Amino acid sequence: MTRETPWYEQVTTPALLRHARTTYGTAMRRALAAAGYDDIPKNGLYLIGGMAYQAQDMPLGNLVKDLRITKQAAGQLVDTLVTRGYLQRAVDEQDRRKLTVTLTARGRAAAVVQTEARKKIDAELLARARPNEVNITRRTLAALVEIGRQREADDA
Amino acid sequence: MTRETPWYEQVTTPALLRHARTTYGTAMRRALAAAGYDDIPKNGLYLIGGMAYQAQDMPLGNLVKDLRITKQAAGQLVDTLVTRGYLQRAVDEQDRRKLTVTLTARGRAAAVVQTEARKKIDAELLARARPNEVNITRRTLAALVEIGRQREADDA
DNA sequence: CCATTTAGTCATGTATATTGACTATCAATC
DNA sequence: GATTGATAGTCAATATACATGACTAAATGG
């Protein structure tokens, strides 16, 4: 009995990464839209989801690094999210040049929906992969991220 | 000695996926730009890299599904890549409505550069993770992709 | 054949991001 | 305590990528 080559061996790793992320992305977008949050711009998911998971407030400068966009684009992104009621801007009292960003009530509500959608995918994944395999995957992805950071630091 | 929580445990899986893909993306873009291929649009990498890896020619319709963009956007993407000398369009003789797309010489040359950049990252990854861990990662990513496909099929 | 479906185009609008030029705050020195 | 330089963000104009709506041409299926 000859073993069939699995489809994913015909696909590059970056392509796998792309499509894997799409699974999360569409699931989160669908859930958000169903709950009435259908006006979140592209990178808004990253911002809202990240803030709910990690930090209560985030300096705008972090966005620039994380999303690898210009500060103008970051400002514009925050602008629309403020306009649409998801975010609040505040001046950092320690350094009055800095702006920090916090979720509004609406923003937190959206974050909850988004987080649940994400966890749903995480749960579905555990039906197809062992917990240990998921851990290894996350560690390996982290290694890839570190390679990117390293390279960036090297040529700077 | 208390074990420190690794940074990546504070990050959602979709965020890890995003940043991991960025490592590949910037490496490939840099290599391409250094070799004179600095006019490739966003999704062009996916197209050129994918065609080099998988198929010699690709029906335009596949792009629509893979990239999850409208056929108009796909047509436009191919247009610019044809204009810039990376792709060639041809009518499918079996079905004269269909257009298939092939790499030109320039396109193949760019694909080589891109592929090498990708493999370089793959190699660097093997300095930080075992081959088996990389395999598990790719399989787990494939599972995520399948979850997305499944969900799409379900609500169709 | 005629109706329907499939594959792609043309024209137009919109959202997202970029480049370039500017203001405001802070930090360090003289 | 005034001057220089660096950092954080804004404003204005523009480019690019993608979407929507209306259309043409080729294939499929009674």
Side-chain angles (χ1 to χ4, degrees), chain B residues 7-57:
Chain B
W7 65 267
Y8 59 82
E9 299 208 351
Q10 301 296 321
V11 179
T12 64
T13 301
L16 278 179
L17 291 169
R18 169 184 205 127
H19 292 131
R21 196 167 102 81
T22 300
T23 295
Y24 282 101
T26 60
M28 295 190 295
R29 285 229 168 262
R30 272 179 191 279
L32 284 166
Y37 308 110
D38 58 348
D39 56 351
I40 301 178
K42 284 194 136 178
N43 285 320
L45 291 192
Y46 181 86
L47 190 44
I48 291 176
M51 286 183 57
Y53 196 79
Q54 279 186 306
Q56 257 55 39
D57 58 351

Side-chain angles (χ1 to χ4, degrees), chain B residues 2-139:
Chain B
T2 52
R3 172 178 293 280
E4 286 267 338
T5 305
W7 65 267
Y8 59 82
E9 299 208 351
Q10 301 296 321
V11 179
T12 64
T13 301
L16 278 179
L17 291 169
R18 169 184 205 127
H19 292 131
R21 196 167 102 81
T22 300
T23 295
Y24 282 101
T26 60
M28 295 190 295
R29 285 229 168 262
R30 272 179 191 279
L32 284 166
Y37 308 110
D38 58 348
D39 56 351
I40 301 178
K42 284 194 136 178
N43 285 320
L45 291 192
Y46 181 86
L47 190 44
I48 291 176
M51 286 183 57
Y53 196 79
Q54 279 186 306
Q56 257 55 39
D57 58 351
M58 174 181 258
L60 213 162
N62 285 20
L63 259 186
V64 174
K65 287 179 192 161
D66 283 4
L67 296 180
R68 308 178 67 87
I69 56 179
T70 58
K71 54 186 176 181
Q72 292 92 329
Q76 191 173 310
L77 171 60
V78 169
D79 258 354
T80 60
L81 283 169
V82 166
T83 301
R84 296 180 188 172
Y86 294 97
L87 291 185
Q88 227 169 351
R89 239 189 299 237
V91 179
D92 183 337
E93 284 305 320
Q94 261 66 47
D95 183 342
R96 299 184 54 76
R97 293 169 303 180
K98 288 187 183 169
L99 288 181
T100 56
V101 157
T102 39
L103 290 172
T104 62
R106 177 177 168 84
R108 285 192 299 274
V112 168
V113 173
Q114 183 181 337
T115 301
E116 273 169 10
R118 175 174 57 74
K119 285 185 177 167
K120 214 164 188 173
I121 300 293
D122 287 339
E124 287 186 32
L125 179 59
L126 286 174
R128 300 187 184 231
R130 300 176 194 192
N132 190 43
E133 293 177 325
V134 175
N135 285 336
I136 290 173
T137 297
R138 285 178 50 90
R139 203 154 16 116

Side-chain angles (χ1 to χ4, degrees), chain A residues 79-91:
Chain A
D79 258 354
T80 59
L81 283 169
V82 167
T83 301
R84 296 177 188 175
Y86 295 96
L87 291 184
Q88 228 170 352
R89 239 189 300 237
V91 179

